[in-house]
Amino acid sequence: MAIISEVEEETSSSQPGTFDSSNPLGFLEKVFDFLAQQSDFLNKPSAEAEIAAAVRAAKEKSTKAEKKSVEKKPVEKESVSASSSEPMEVEEQKKQGAAPIAPNKGNGYDLENYSWVQTLQEVTVNVPVPSGTKARSVVCEIKKNRLKLGLKGQDPIIDCLYRSVKPDDCYWNIEDQKMISILLTKQDQMEWWKCCVKGEPEIDTQKVEPENSKLADLDPETRSTVEKMMFDQRQKQMGLPTSDELQKQDILKKFMSQHPEMDFSNAKIN
């Protein structure tokens, strides 16, 4: 409360009132500015994850309060609220500019209707369906820039893709008549996907952790590139120079040692 009071004092000096409901992000920016001035919280590697967790907790609390309110309203309004909860959650994340979320153990994310995992080369999507579902009841269309998946006579569960895939190298099957599994081969096999479907919550790709066994399966050139990417991500998280920046520093140091007569006191590496 003390932080909010001080932020309110700062905002009230520039405009009337203490909180502009039409510009909540402006208020949040003041809060983050205050945190940056009064503590080193934002410098912590886990700051974004903790802020995202706080946002999710606040949203869950708000959702529970809304559900209690809806229970007092007619039943037809309750059904509309339930069906629109997930789109509202995604839209709310966009409005608040929430930090990317931590990936699951498979470097993907678990959503209400499906989950997905990935390697650099492939994305696997798992969609639970009613027990006893037959393959003939499944609608699955895989195109370069689109995945349409659902059950006949129902709205699609998935109807979009984050990035392009190779349709000829993509497959799907139904496991135990209760889970649809889709294997998507990425068009760009040097990129980690932030999400499987455009508009869904995005993961923090800097927290992706490839399995060592998978790295060993790569050819030497690709493995070297992946290891470089992982090293650079760790360096950025710690505020340290990347491999390219280290290489430039080494070149400059070597040149300086070869030309001691020159003054490098004002030299900078771009």
Side-chain angles (χ1 to χ4, degrees), residues 113-245:
N113 294 331
Y114 70 93
S115 63
W116 64 280
V117 296
Q118 67 174 323
T119 64
L120 269 177
Q121 293 79 28
E122 302 169 343
V123 172
T124 300
V125 185
N126 291 311
V127 183
V129 290
S131 181
T133 298
K134 304 291 185 180
R136 61 176 177 269
S137 301
V138 177
V139 176
C140 185
E141 299 177 7
I142 304 175
K143 298 181 180 180
K144 182 178 180 180
N145 298 305
R146 182 187 180 191
L147 167 63
K148 182 177 181 180
L149 177 71
L151 299 178
K152 290 182 179 179
Q154 301 182 21
D155 292 335
I157 300 171
I158 298 175
D159 196 13
C160 187
L161 273 179
Y162 174 68
R163 287 286 189 264
S164 300
V165 298
K166 300 178 180 179
D168 292 340
D169 296 327
C170 299
Y171 312 92
W172 72 271
N173 69 322
I174 186 165
E175 301 176 357
D176 299 327
Q177 297 185 347
K178 61 181 180 180
M179 179 75 72
I180 301 173
S181 181
I182 309 108
L183 175 67
L184 303 172
T185 301
K186 298 178 181 178
Q187 185 74 37
D188 182 357
Q189 301 195 348
M190 294 303 298
E191 178 188 15
W192 294 109
W193 285 15
K194 294 182 179 180
C195 57
C196 180
V197 176
K198 288 182 180 179
E200 296 286 9
E202 296 185 354
I203 65 168
D204 186 350
T205 54
Q206 291 188 358
K207 295 181 179 179
V208 165
E209 297 180 359
E211 297 179 7
N212 291 331
S213 58
K214 295 298 183 181
L215 283 177
D217 295 337
L218 301 176
D219 62 84
E221 183 179 355
T222 304
R223 177 174 180 175
S224 177
T225 302
V226 173
E227 290 175 341
K228 178 178 179 294
M229 291 168 55
M230 294 169 60
F231 173 80
D232 289 344
Q233 287 177 356
R234 289 193 295 267
Q235 290 292 99
K236 288 179 180 179
Q237 287 178 333
M238 295 185 291
L240 300 175
T242 63
S243 55
D244 290 338
E245 292 168 344

Side-chain angles (χ1 to χ4, degrees), residues 3-18 26-27 29-35 37-38:
I3 292 177
I4 294 177
S5 298
E6 295 191 34
V7 174
E8 289 179 343
E9 290 177 4
E10 184 177 350
T11 56
S12 63
S13 62
S14 59
Q15 60 183 24
T18 58
F27 181 79
E29 289 174 359
K30 294 290 185 180
V31 172
F32 291 136
D33 288 343
F34 180 83
L35 284 174
Q37 295 171 6
Q38 300 296 324

Side-chain angles (χ1 to χ4, degrees), residues 53-112:
V55 171
R56 288 196 297 271
K59 287 164 61 178
E60 288 176 1
K61 184 177 180 180
S62 175
T63 301
K64 290 180 180 178
E66 289 179 0
K67 287 182 178 179
K68 289 183 179 179
S69 175
V70 169
E71 289 174 356
K72 300 178 181 179
K73 298 179 181 180
V75 175
E76 61 271 19
K77 292 186 178 180
E78 181 178 353
S79 62
V80 171
S81 175
S83 63
S84 61
S85 60
E86 185 176 351
M88 288 176 61
E89 182 177 345
V90 174
E91 187 65 25
E92 189 67 19
Q93 184 190 37
K94 293 180 182 178
K95 290 181 180 179
Q96 294 184 5
I101 50 186
N104 59 23
K105 292 182 179 180
N107 297 320
Y109 191 59
D110 301 322
L111 293 103
E112 182 178 354

